[in-house]
Amino acid sequence: MKVALVHDYLTQRGGAERVFELLCKRYPDADIFTSLYDPQKTIDMGERIVNTTFLQKIPGAAKYFRLMAPFYFPAFRALDLQDYDLIISSSTSFAKAVRKKPGAKHICFCHNVTRFLWDTETYLREYSDYRYLSPLIEKIFQLMRDVDMKYAQEPDIYIANSSIVARRIEKIYGKQAIMINYPIDTSNFVFSDTKDEYYLASARMISYKRLDIIVEAFNWLGWPLIISGDGPERDRLQSKALDNIQFVGHVSDSRRKELFSKAKSIIVAALEDYGLVPVEANASGTPVVAFGAGGVLDTQIHGKTGVFFNRQTPESLQMALLESGEITWNYENIRNHAVNNFSEPVFFSKVERIIDQTCSLN
């Protein structure tokens, strides 16, 4: 069976790219396709050949890949995948549009629907120029929504990383999705059953991560908090933080492991479709205090692996932190929860069962 692996674009390194990296390692003989490829900015493909589209020939396209949005669908439709029996796409937007030969199967790991098309205001609110260009953008996006809906019917099977994404796929595309929570490499995290007194937030400093809530809550509590990561919100957040809050910026992998394993709890205030940080925290034996919506409802057990707060407010977070402090946590059970549910072997046992069932259908 000849296999093709397809990803939207390999121009950055995020959660979707980490999942694609796992697929590439799992299928070392598969051919790899993407629209744009920047080896300096994305996952390590080693010696693998990465086949790209005509967009790769446009100067600056890999750097300004978001500006290429209207051209991705024709680029993926132009790819010749007629020799492949199985296509596995990894997509938040465009790769699902690839064409297959008659009798071939297409399984799409859909990390999300095309958010900038279907949730435009939320997606683009970070960009100040959006409100000035919105009348023109909306006309273009309406045409693209029609195309996106058409090509969303191409995959035979959708796999979603969380129940909220599965519901979104069904609501917008009218396609059923199988939920398989994406894995982490549990060997990359260090277990510790002794915790220091600090709390930890680890996130890119952009507005939807809601680090402002965390800063305000800890300003009031006065408890020690470490915030790792960087981003455009850092200066504003630091200007509001009191002395009990320490900003450490980007940290090495070894330092990150240590911070995760020794933290009293890891705080997540964002509404995430899935969210790897809570699972990574559990793999370190560390409980989570998280906003109780989205992907954490699939990965966390209230009172066993973490505590939820119900509103994105400092007061709601403070109540959850106080509740967490009253719990006698079983750190080994927290670690076992991550290993037993979110390791790579568990993930691929589910994936390959679906692949076998799909490829056996005539």
Side-chain angles (χ1 to χ4, degrees), residues 21 50 84 104 122 136 175 225 227-228 246 273 286 319 342:
E21 186 175 32
V50 178
Y84 297 92
T122 300
L136 174 61
K175 301 281 284 187
L225 171 70
I227 301 180
S228 69
Q246 180 184 4
D273 295 324
T286 302
M319 295 299 294
F342 307 108

Side-chain angles (χ1 to χ4, degrees), residues 303-317:
K304 299 294 184 182
T305 67
V307 171
F308 298 139
F309 57 98
N310 297 324
R311 298 182 307 281
Q312 285 177 306
T313 65
E315 295 78 13
S316 187
L317 172 55

Side-chain angles (χ1 to χ4, degrees), residues 214-223 242 244 314 318-319 322:
I214 302 174
V215 167
E216 189 171 341
F218 277 83
N219 278 344
W220 183 83
L221 290 168
W223 297 352
L242 299 182
N244 58 303
Q318 289 162 14
M319 295 299 294
L322 293 169

Side-chain angles (χ1 to χ4, degrees), residues 22-190:
L22 291 177
L23 293 170
C24 291
K25 290 178 180 177
R26 191 71 175 186
Y27 302 100
D29 296 326
D31 292 333
I32 297 170
F33 294 85
T34 192
S35 60
L36 292 163
Y37 178 45
D38 185 345
Q40 305 304 316
K41 298 287 184 64
T42 191
I43 54 178
D44 182 9
M45 302 306 298
E47 299 299 317
R48 301 279 286 273
I49 295 173
V50 178
N51 300 281
T52 57
T53 68
F54 62 78
L55 296 177
Q56 189 75 21
K57 298 178 181 179
I58 299 176
K63 182 178 180 180
Y64 301 105
F65 62 95
R66 290 185 177 87
L67 298 179
M68 298 294 107
F71 307 106
Y72 284 116
F73 283 129
F76 277 107
R77 294 301 285 177
L79 285 175
D80 183 5
L81 301 182
Q82 295 303 299
D83 289 339
Y84 297 92
D85 306 297
L86 173 63
I87 298 169
I88 301 176
S89 65
S90 163
S91 181
T92 57
S93 45
F94 308 107
K96 62 181 178 287
V98 293
R99 292 185 292 180
K100 62 183 182 181
K101 70 179 181 181
K105 300 297 182 181
H106 179 177
I107 297 175
C108 178
F109 285 81
C110 187
H111 313 295
N112 215 324
V113 299
T114 309
R115 289 292 295 274
F116 74 89
L117 294 178
W118 301 102
D119 191 13
T120 304
E121 185 174 349
T122 300
Y123 189 90
L124 294 182
R125 65 186 175 192
E126 300 278 343
Y127 302 93
S128 58
D129 292 339
Y130 164 63
R131 62 182 179 272
Y132 303 113
L133 299 175
S134 59
L136 174 61
I137 290 174
E138 180 55 32
K139 291 180 181 179
I140 296 172
F141 281 10
Q142 184 54 57
L143 294 172
M144 292 183 67
R145 286 185 196 108
D146 295 339
V147 177
D148 189 50
M149 178 65 74
K150 176 183 176 181
Y151 293 145
Q153 310 310 309
E154 293 283 347
D156 298 285
I157 298 288
Y158 275 96
I159 294 176
N161 58 8
S162 68
S163 56
I164 191 172
V165 172
R167 289 194 297 270
R168 207 173 280 150
I169 292 168
E170 181 176 3
K171 179 181 178 181
I172 293 176
Y173 293 151
K175 301 281 284 187
Q176 294 287 326
I178 300 168
M179 187 191 77
I180 302 179
N181 295 135
Y182 292 169
I184 61 168
D185 185 347
T186 53
S187 66
N188 281 340
F189 296 90
V190 179

